[in-house]
């Protein structure tokens, strides 16, 4: 009987732009290759959630409106998500989902969306230039090719603690000034890459390995 890896897809019904659900499908495929079944739970509005019931958290991109809806609900999960991240558990956050781990997101309407404030970075909307197009960047696992489409510009407030996911070769990444894409902290990856990002097999396999390790730890703790 194959073991079941549990994935929490945060606000899947609201934060699902540009085919980011493909990331979860690719991971399910790779995990199946390694002999595991996957169970993907949509954790949406008004639900209880304990991050430690899961082996992996995924948070996709979304439009400003959906982000403002999610912002009203997600703050109650701050503690469990923080503890999960600090326990070295794996999480992948794309675009709007990535922005949510930071302090705040200033939107197109001039509204400030309060984010989870778990990690020291913030995002500001700039009306004059949407960052849209193909991207390529160098990462620890080799080059990654993807697609970005965002107006939010993300800036690290603590460059000791947060590391970029990659160094830009093509496109903008976090913002037009820093020449870097995404964020890494412990086993969390934040990224502006759609495409989905995990069509890049190098990074997809690295994350699948982290998920299997996280699953083994969870099973061992329960035993
Ligand atoms: N609404 C956010 C922005 O434009 C996120 C967009 C997205 O998730 N694709 O920056």
């Amino acid at each position: 009987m194959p073991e079941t890896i549990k994935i929490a897809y945060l606000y899947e019904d609201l934060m699902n732009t540009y085919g980011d659900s493909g990331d979860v499908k690719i991971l399910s495929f790779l995990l199946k290759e390694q002999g595991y079944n996957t169970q993907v739970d949509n954790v949406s509005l008004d639900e209880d959630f304990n991050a430690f019931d899961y082996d992996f958290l995924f948070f996709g991109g979304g439009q400003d409106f959906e982000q403002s809806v999610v912002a009203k609900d997600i703050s109650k999960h701050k503690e469990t998500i923080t503890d999960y991240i600090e326990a070295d558990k794996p999480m992948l956050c794309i675009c709007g989902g990535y922005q949510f781990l930071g302090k705040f997101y200033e939107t197109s309407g001039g509204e400030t969306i309060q984010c989870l404030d778990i990690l020291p970075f913030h995002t500001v909307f700039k009306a004059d230039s949407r960052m849209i197009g193909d991207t390529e960047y160098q990462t620890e696992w080799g080059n990654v090719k993807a697609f970005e489409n965002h107006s939010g510009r993300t800036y690290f407030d603590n460059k000791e603690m947060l590391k970029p996911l990659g160094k830009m070769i093509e496109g903008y990444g976090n913002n037009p000034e820093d020449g870097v894409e995404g964020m890494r902290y412990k086993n969390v990856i934040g990224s502006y890459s759609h495409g989905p990002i995990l069509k890049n097999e190098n990074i997809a396999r690295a994350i699948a390995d982290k998920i299997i390790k996280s699953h083994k730890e969870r099973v061992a703790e329960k035993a």
Side-chain angles (χ1 to χ4, degrees):
M1 194 44 194
E3 288 182 34
T4 300
I5 284 187
K6 288 181 70 187
I7 297 177
Y9 193 148
L10 302 179
Y11 305 92
E12 178 181 6
D13 48 341
L14 293 160
M15 302 286 288
N16 56 11
T17 49
Y18 314 123
D20 292 336
S21 59
D23 288 327
V24 174
K25 291 191 176 121
I26 290 165
L27 287 171
S28 296
F29 175 84
L30 293 178
L31 294 167
K32 198 169 181 89
E33 254 185 11
Q34 308 265 345
Y36 295 95
N37 284 336
T38 45
Q39 174 188 325
V40 182
D41 291 351
N42 171 20
V43 178
S44 195
L45 302 176
D46 298 323
E47 281 178 31
D48 290 334
F49 168 59
N50 177 358
F52 288 94
D53 288 341
Y54 294 92
D55 304 310
F56 179 64
L57 308 185
F58 180 75
F59 203 176
Q63 315 284 338
D64 291 2
F65 174 72
E66 280 77 11
Q67 285 177 270
S68 67
V69 173
V70 168
K72 293 191 182 80
D73 191 78
I74 198 170
S75 58
K76 64 177 187 283
H77 302 314
K78 174 174 174 165
E79 198 179 323
T80 191
I81 295 173
T82 306
D83 293 347
Y84 175 94
I85 291 171
E86 289 300 327
D88 289 322
K89 295 285 182 185
M91 179 172 191
L92 174 64
C93 306
I94 306 295
C95 207
Y98 167 30
Q99 294 168 349
F100 261 117
L101 290 185
K103 293 178 183 164
F104 61 84
Y105 171 46
E106 244 174 60
T107 68
S108 49
E111 180 201 356
T112 298
I113 295 180
Q114 180 57 45
C115 295
L116 284 166
D117 195 9
I118 294 174
L119 295 175
F121 67 87
H122 67 276
T123 304
V124 233
F125 177 92
K126 264 278 201 254
D128 49 359
S129 56
R130 191 163 177 86
M131 288 165 275
I132 176 163
D134 292 334
T135 53
E136 185 174 1
Y137 46 93
Q138 288 169 334
T139 74
E140 176 191 323
W141 302 287
N143 285 11
V144 168
K145 287 188 179 188
F147 174 79
E148 65 185 335
N149 187 352
H150 56 112
S151 293
R153 300 174 176 208
T154 292
Y155 298 93
F156 292 172
D157 300 313
N158 183 339
K159 290 188 179 160
E160 299 300 309
M161 186 170 157
L162 306 179
K163 296 293 166 216
L165 170 63
K167 197 163 167 285
M168 296 317 290
I169 297 168
E170 183 189 354
Y172 297 98
N174 284 345
N175 59 59
E177 297 95 33
D178 292 341
V180 294
E181 153 61 25
M183 180 279 308
R184 288 181 67 186
Y185 174 72
K186 294 189 173 232
N187 281 311
V188 182
I189 293 175
S191 173
Y192 274 109
S193 294
H194 304 288
I197 185 176
L198 297 187
K199 71 180 183 185
N200 293 275
E201 202 177 325
N202 49 0
I203 189 164
R205 288 200 183 275
I207 292 177
D209 288 347
K210 287 177 192 287
I211 296 173
I212 292 170
K213 182 169 174 282
S214 163
H215 172 72
K216 286 184 176 157
E217 283 166 8
R218 187 172 63 81
V219 170
E221 271 160 29
K222 272 202 330 205

